[in-house]
Amino acid sequence: MTGLPGLRGGEHIGLTVPDLDAAHRFLCDVLGADLVFDGGTIADDDTMVRVLGANPGESCRYRFFRLGTGLNLEVCLLYTS
């Protein structure tokens, strides 16, 4: 047997990008994605370091996009506060 038992597909993929607005335009205008959720900014060090594995002082601005009927993309811009 190969693969993970019971795996049927993926719900979302996370991507880190250098320019969130440019990624937004590309995903929506070129690929036809829909903006599903603008998550705003995560800035507290505990969440960024412990949960997301970022460096102290980094923040994350993120949005979720949906491609077609299934694949969701979590797109994040990491930056130093």
Side-chain angles (χ1 to χ4, degrees), residues 2-37:
T2 61
L4 297 172
L7 180 64
R8 296 178 157 220
E11 194 278 334
H12 83 276
I13 295 172
L15 303 170
T16 302
V17 297
D19 185 329
L20 188 58
D21 292 326
H24 183 129
R25 288 189 301 274
F26 175 76
L27 291 168
C28 294
D29 297 346
V30 177
L31 298 183
D34 293 315
L35 174 65
V36 175
F37 177 71

Side-chain angles (χ1 to χ4, degrees), residues 52-66:
L52 299 177
N55 295 314
E58 286 185 318
S59 297
C60 173
R61 174 111 176 87
Y62 71 104
R63 298 175 187 156
F64 275 87
F65 299 86
R66 178 168 294 130

Side-chain angles (χ1 to χ4, degrees), residues 10-11 32 34 66-72:
E11 194 278 334
D34 293 315
R66 178 168 294 130
L67 287 169
T69 59
L71 182 61
N72 297 296

